[in-house]
Amino acid sequence: MNLLYIALSSSTAYFLMKIFYKRSNYIYVSSVVACAVGFIAYFVFYNSQSHDFVTSLHFYVTSMSIVFLFITCYEVFLLEWRVNKVKSGEFVGLMPISIEKNYNTTFKLAGLGITFLSLALISGFYITDALSTEIQLKALFTSISWLIYFAILIGIKFFNLRTKYAVRGLVFTLMFLLIAYLGNSLIFSTIAWW
């Protein structure tokens, strides 16, 4: 559960920066602040536990992959909403930066998110010495999430994937990633309770 506290604190920092920092590079600044707050939150929530470097790295990059996937989903939903507003002729309250620039920046965030997710997979395989059923399911759902995420990025970059399909794919990616980390623990705690 501490992983979610780190992700929640980083996401909160991102959205607070987005509210208070109203410049065209808000995504970059907010992302750096989210990473820094996640790093600080890691030491707050895992301070009492001693881990080696790879295990610590795994916890941090896993929480950051959840954060950046959530942020990317939000920004893509926001972009889709802006595109629909422009198509209907409403220009009130739109952000000062262009939709195309925001689109490119958002998918740079998606690239950062898949980097964190890749590091989480690699470090997760490195730190597991025994392949229990719980770890196998977590690895399976995380791998599915990574494949969907990667296919979306390739589709956008090289095959001009439409935004509505990217949004759907990002939602599925987030769903599989949350199942890997939340649903997996919930399922096994329920089984242990019975």
Side-chain angles (χ1 to χ4, degrees):
M1 260 336 238
N2 290 343
L3 205 69
L4 290 178
Y5 296 141
I6 296 169
L8 182 65
S9 60
S10 293
S11 298
T12 303
Y14 176 84
F15 289 113
L16 286 175
M17 280 301 296
K18 183 177 172 147
I19 290 169
F20 294 117
Y21 188 78
K22 299 280 188 190
R23 297 207 173 118
S24 62
N25 63 344
Y26 77 93
I27 291 179
Y28 297 120
V29 173
S30 300
S31 299
V32 169
V33 169
C35 287
V37 167
F39 192 70
I40 293 167
Y42 171 78
F43 286 109
V44 169
F45 293 116
Y46 284 103
N47 193 19
S48 62
Q49 302 171 3
S50 62
H51 298 291
D52 62 349
F53 175 73
V54 177
T55 306
S56 299
L57 177 72
H58 175 71
F59 287 137
Y60 178 70
V61 296
T62 301
S63 60
M64 289 298 103
S65 67
I66 293 170
V67 167
F68 279 99
L69 185 56
F70 180 71
I71 289 170
T72 303
C73 283
Y74 169 77
E75 292 293 336
V76 169
F77 277 126
L78 188 64
L79 266 174
E80 188 68 19
W81 176 78
R82 288 179 65 202
V83 167
N84 288 336
K85 288 287 187 186
V86 168
K87 284 181 181 177
S88 67
E90 298 177 38
F91 298 104
V92 179
L94 295 180
M95 298 180 71
I97 59 176
S98 69
I99 291 174
E100 292 83 14
K101 184 175 180 181
N102 200 352
Y103 185 78
N104 291 332
T105 306
T106 299
F107 285 102
K108 286 179 185 176
L109 280 180
L112 187 60
I114 199 163
T115 302
F116 278 124
L117 190 57
S118 300
L119 288 172
L121 271 172
I122 292 168
S123 62
F125 286 130
Y126 181 78
I127 64 173
T128 57
D129 50 355
L131 288 176
S132 66
T133 306
E134 182 178 357
I135 291 178
Q136 288 174 350
L137 285 174
K138 190 177 283 191
L140 174 70
F141 282 117
T142 306
S143 299
I144 291 170
S145 178
W146 186 88
L147 286 172
I148 295 170
Y149 207 177
F150 188 71
I152 291 168
L153 289 178
I154 295 298
I156 289 169
K157 182 76 174 171
F158 298 110
F159 301 109
N160 200 16
L161 182 69
R162 295 181 61 187
T163 307
K164 71 177 183 178
Y165 298 119
V167 169
R168 291 175 188 164
L170 286 170
V171 168
F172 281 122
T173 303
L174 183 60
M175 182 182 69
F176 278 113
L177 195 60
L178 289 177
I179 287 172
Y181 292 103
L182 295 177
N184 200 11
S185 300
L186 183 67
I187 289 168
F188 282 102
S189 66
T190 305
I191 290 173
W193 182 74
W194 286 98

